[in-house]
Amino acid sequence: MASELTSHRLPQADEYYYKQTNNHITPRDNEIETGADAGAYFPLQPIEKKLCAYTFGLGIILLFIFVIIFKVL
């Protein structure tokens, strides 16, 4: 019973792929769907950019520290 319920609902990415490959939609309908998705994405805030940079920098520093510790010592 549970497998029947889950087999009918596709995950979002698979659903999008299925719709694009199996349903022949018109270019106008595709533009409408793409326009509807445009509001879901927005640029990062300055604090988010700083947090990404700090996290990336910390990861690189820790990578070098671990390489030195485990390969040299």
Side-chain angles (χ1 to χ4, degrees), residues 12-26:
Q12 189 173 11
D14 291 340
E15 186 176 312
Y16 177 78
Y17 177 76
Y18 179 80
K19 189 188 307 182
Q20 294 296 322
T21 57
N22 294 329
N23 296 341
H24 301 288
I25 61 173
T26 64

PDB file of all heavy atoms in Angstrom, residues 12-26:
ATOM      1  N   GLN A  12      10.455  16.699  -7.125  1.00  0.00           N
ATOM      2  CA  GLN A  12      10.313  17.916  -7.917  1.00  0.00           C
ATOM      3  C   GLN A  12      11.235  17.932  -9.134  1.00  0.00           C
ATOM      4  O   GLN A  12      10.818  18.291 -10.226  1.00  0.00           O
ATOM      5  CB  GLN A  12      10.584  19.130  -7.041  1.00  0.00           C
ATOM      6  CG  GLN A  12      10.252  20.434  -7.724  1.00  0.00           C
ATOM      7  CD  GLN A  12      10.373  21.601  -6.783  1.00  0.00           C
ATOM      8  OE1 GLN A  12      10.890  21.464  -5.690  1.00  0.00           O
ATOM      9  NE2 GLN A  12       9.915  22.739  -7.204  1.00  0.00           N
ATOM     10  N   ALA A  13      12.507  17.539  -8.979  1.00  0.00           N
ATOM     11  CA  ALA A  13      13.431  17.566 -10.111  1.00  0.00           C
ATOM     12  C   ALA A  13      13.009  16.555 -11.175  1.00  0.00           C
ATOM     13  O   ALA A  13      13.055  16.845 -12.368  1.00  0.00           O
ATOM     14  CB  ALA A  13      14.850  17.281  -9.643  1.00  0.00           C
ATOM     15  N   ASP A  14      12.597  15.367 -10.740  1.00  0.00           N
ATOM     16  CA  ASP A  14      12.154  14.366 -11.698  1.00  0.00           C
ATOM     17  C   ASP A  14      10.874  14.806 -12.405  1.00  0.00           C
ATOM     18  O   ASP A  14      10.678  14.544 -13.593  1.00  0.00           O
ATOM     19  CB  ASP A  14      11.922  13.022 -11.004  1.00  0.00           C
ATOM     20  CG  ASP A  14      13.223  12.391 -10.538  1.00  0.00           C
ATOM     21  OD1 ASP A  14      14.280  12.779 -11.065  1.00  0.00           O
ATOM     22  OD2 ASP A  14      13.168  11.523  -9.663  1.00  0.00           O
ATOM     23  N   GLU A  15      10.012  15.461 -11.663  1.00  0.00           N
ATOM     24  CA  GLU A  15       8.769  15.950 -12.242  1.00  0.00           C
ATOM     25  C   GLU A  15       9.054  16.991 -13.318  1.00  0.00           C
ATOM     26  O   GLU A  15       8.459  16.977 -14.398  1.00  0.00           O
ATOM     27  CB  GLU A  15       7.910  16.550 -11.140  1.00  0.00           C
ATOM     28  CG  GLU A  15       6.541  16.974 -11.565  1.00  0.00           C
ATOM     29  CD  GLU A  15       5.730  17.476 -10.378  1.00  0.00           C
ATOM     30  OE1 GLU A  15       5.701  16.792  -9.343  1.00  0.00           O
ATOM     31  OE2 GLU A  15       5.149  18.556 -10.511  1.00  0.00           O
ATOM     32  N   TYR A  16       9.989  17.890 -13.049  1.00  0.00           N
ATOM     33  CA  TYR A  16      10.362  18.918 -14.021  1.00  0.00           C
ATOM     34  C   TYR A  16      10.963  18.270 -15.266  1.00  0.00           C
ATOM     35  O   TYR A  16      10.618  18.616 -16.394  1.00  0.00           O
ATOM     36  CB  TYR A  16      11.351  19.894 -13.395  1.00  0.00           C
ATOM     37  CG  TYR A  16      11.845  20.947 -14.341  1.00  0.00           C
ATOM     38  CD1 TYR A  16      11.057  22.048 -14.661  1.00  0.00           C
ATOM     39  CD2 TYR A  16      13.091  20.847 -14.935  1.00  0.00           C
ATOM     40  CE1 TYR A  16      11.496  23.008 -15.540  1.00  0.00           C
ATOM     41  CE2 TYR A  16      13.537  21.798 -15.815  1.00  0.00           C
ATOM     42  CZ  TYR A  16      12.746  22.884 -16.114  1.00  0.00           C
ATOM     43  OH  TYR A  16      13.188  23.827 -16.990  1.00  0.00           O
ATOM     44  N   TYR A  17      11.868  17.303 -15.059  1.00  0.00           N
ATOM     45  CA  TYR A  17      12.496  16.619 -16.191  1.00  0.00           C
ATOM     46  C   TYR A  17      11.458  15.878 -17.024  1.00  0.00           C
ATOM     47  O   TYR A  17      11.478  15.931 -18.249  1.00  0.00           O
ATOM     48  CB  TYR A  17      13.567  15.650 -15.684  1.00  0.00           C
ATOM     49  CG  TYR A  17      14.212  14.853 -16.785  1.00  0.00           C
ATOM     50  CD1 TYR A  17      15.150  15.436 -17.623  1.00  0.00           C
ATOM     51  CD2 TYR A  17      13.877  13.526 -16.997  1.00  0.00           C
ATOM     52  CE1 TYR A  17      15.739  14.720 -18.642  1.00  0.00           C
ATOM     53  CE2 TYR A  17      14.450  12.794 -18.018  1.00  0.00           C
ATOM     54  CZ  TYR A  17      15.386  13.398 -18.833  1.00  0.00           C
ATOM     55  OH  TYR A  17      15.956  12.682 -19.849  1.00  0.00           O
ATOM     56  N   TYR A  18      10.549  15.184 -16.354  1.00  0.00           N
ATOM     57  CA  TYR A  18       9.499  14.447 -17.068  1.00  0.00           C
ATOM     58  C   TYR A  18       8.634  15.392 -17.889  1.00  0.00           C
ATOM     59  O   TYR A  18       8.298  15.112 -19.041  1.00  0.00           O
ATOM     60  CB  TYR A  18       8.637  13.671 -16.065  1.00  0.00           C
ATOM     61  CG  TYR A  18       7.517  12.901 -16.720  1.00  0.00           C
ATOM     62  CD1 TYR A  18       7.772  11.679 -17.320  1.00  0.00           C
ATOM     63  CD2 TYR A  18       6.228  13.416 -16.758  1.00  0.00           C
ATOM     64  CE1 TYR A  18       6.755  10.968 -17.943  1.00  0.00           C
ATOM     65  CE2 TYR A  18       5.207  12.710 -17.374  1.00  0.00           C
ATOM     66  CZ  TYR A  18       5.476  11.491 -17.961  1.00  0.00           C
ATOM     67  OH  TYR A  18       4.464  10.804 -18.578  1.00  0.00           O
ATOM     68  N   LYS A  19       8.304  16.527 -17.287  1.00  0.00           N
ATOM     69  CA  LYS A  19       7.459  17.489 -17.997  1.00  0.00           C
ATOM     70  C   LYS A  19       8.181  18.045 -19.219  1.00  0.00           C
ATOM     71  O   LYS A  19       7.585  18.217 -20.277  1.00  0.00           O
ATOM     72  CB  LYS A  19       7.082  18.639 -17.053  1.00  0.00           C
ATOM     73  CG  LYS A  19       6.038  19.558 -17.639  1.00  0.00           C
ATOM     74  CD  LYS A  19       5.794  20.801 -16.821  1.00  0.00           C
ATOM     75  CE  LYS A  19       5.494  20.555 -15.398  1.00  0.00           C
ATOM     76  NZ  LYS A  19       5.215  21.795 -14.647  1.00  0.00           N
ATOM     77  N   GLN A  20       9.472  18.292 -19.100  1.00  0.00           N
ATOM     78  CA  GLN A  20      10.228  18.866 -20.205  1.00  0.00           C
ATOM     79  C   GLN A  20      10.458  17.858 -21.327  1.00  0.00           C
ATOM     80  O   GLN A  20      10.500  18.217 -22.491  1.00  0.00           O
ATOM     81  CB  GLN A  20      11.574  19.402 -19.713  1.00  0.00           C
ATOM     82  CG  GLN A  20      11.462  20.581 -18.783  1.00  0.00           C
ATOM     83  CD  GLN A  20      10.852  21.787 -19.457  1.00  0.00           C
ATOM     84  OE1 GLN A  20      11.109  22.058 -20.612  1.00  0.00           O
ATOM     85  NE2 GLN A  20      10.040  22.522 -18.719  1.00  0.00           N
ATOM     86  N   THR A  21      10.628  16.579 -20.976  1.00  0.00           N
ATOM     87  CA  THR A  21      10.955  15.591 -22.006  1.00  0.00           C
ATOM     88  C   THR A  21       9.740  14.913 -22.603  1.00  0.00           C
ATOM     89  O   THR A  21       9.756  14.565 -23.782  1.00  0.00           O
ATOM     90  CB  THR A  21      11.897  14.520 -21.435  1.00  0.00           C
ATOM     91  OG1 THR A  21      11.281  13.915 -20.305  1.00  0.00           O
ATOM     92  CG2 THR A  21      13.228  15.117 -21.062  1.00  0.00           C
ATOM     93  N   ASN A  22       8.697  14.693 -21.827  1.00  0.00           N
ATOM     94  CA  ASN A  22       7.569  13.908 -22.317  1.00  0.00           C
ATOM     95  C   ASN A  22       6.382  14.744 -22.763  1.00  0.00           C
ATOM     96  O   ASN A  22       5.605  14.291 -23.595  1.00  0.00           O
ATOM     97  CB  ASN A  22       7.114  12.908 -21.256  1.00  0.00           C
ATOM     98  CG  ASN A  22       8.189  11.867 -21.017  1.00  0.00           C
ATOM     99  OD1 ASN A  22       8.932  11.537 -21.910  1.00  0.00           O
ATOM    100  ND2 ASN A  22       8.269  11.371 -19.813  1.00  0.00           N
ATOM    101  N   ASN A  23       6.211  15.883 -22.208  1.00  0.00           N
ATOM    102  CA  ASN A  23       5.117  16.762 -22.630  1.00  0.00           C
ATOM    103  C   ASN A  23       5.682  17.812 -23.573  1.00  0.00           C
ATOM    104  O   ASN A  23       6.594  18.537 -23.228  1.00  0.00           O
ATOM    105  CB  ASN A  23       4.481  17.456 -21.424  1.00  0.00           C
ATOM    106  CG  ASN A  23       3.828  16.473 -20.500  1.00  0.00           C
ATOM    107  OD1 ASN A  23       3.538  15.359 -20.891  1.00  0.00           O
ATOM    108  ND2 ASN A  23       3.608  16.872 -19.272  1.00  0.00           N
ATOM    109  N   HIS A  24       5.124  17.875 -24.721  1.00  0.00           N
ATOM    110  CA  HIS A  24       5.601  18.855 -25.693  1.00  0.00           C
ATOM    111  C   HIS A  24       4.908  20.181 -25.392  1.00  0.00           C
ATOM    112  O   HIS A  24       3.783  20.413 -25.846  1.00  0.00           O
ATOM    113  CB  HIS A  24       5.328  18.364 -27.107  1.00  0.00           C
ATOM    114  CG  HIS A  24       5.987  17.051 -27.380  1.00  0.00           C
ATOM    115  ND1 HIS A  24       7.352  16.942 -27.542  1.00  0.00           N
ATOM    116  CD2 HIS A  24       5.496  15.791 -27.490  1.00  0.00           C
ATOM    117  CE1 HIS A  24       7.664  15.685 -27.757  1.00  0.00           C
ATOM    118  NE2 HIS A  24       6.554  14.955 -27.727  1.00  0.00           N
ATOM    119  N   ILE A  25       5.595  21.026 -24.640  1.00  0.00           N
ATOM    120  CA  ILE A  25       5.006  22.306 -24.286  1.00  0.00           C
ATOM    121  C   ILE A  25       5.462  23.355 -25.286  1.00  0.00           C
ATOM    122  O   ILE A  25       6.539  23.250 -25.877  1.00  0.00           O
ATOM    123  CB  ILE A  25       5.369  22.721 -22.845  1.00  0.00           C
ATOM    124  CG1 ILE A  25       6.873  22.880 -22.679  1.00  0.00           C
ATOM    125  CG2 ILE A  25       4.847  21.722 -21.851  1.00  0.00           C
ATOM    126  CD1 ILE A  25       7.276  23.448 -21.350  1.00  0.00           C
ATOM    127  N   THR A  26       4.679  24.361 -25.429  1.00  0.00           N
ATOM    128  CA  THR A  26       5.009  25.420 -26.364  1.00  0.00           C
ATOM    129  C   THR A  26       6.043  26.353 -25.749  1.00  0.00           C
ATOM    130  O   THR A  26       6.185  26.423 -24.525  1.00  0.00           O
ATOM    131  CB  THR A  26       3.746  26.233 -26.721  1.00  0.00           C
ATOM    132  OG1 THR A  26       3.280  26.872 -25.531  1.00  0.00           O
ATOM    133  CG2 THR A  26       2.662  25.343 -27.289  1.00  0.00           C
TER     134      THR A  26
END
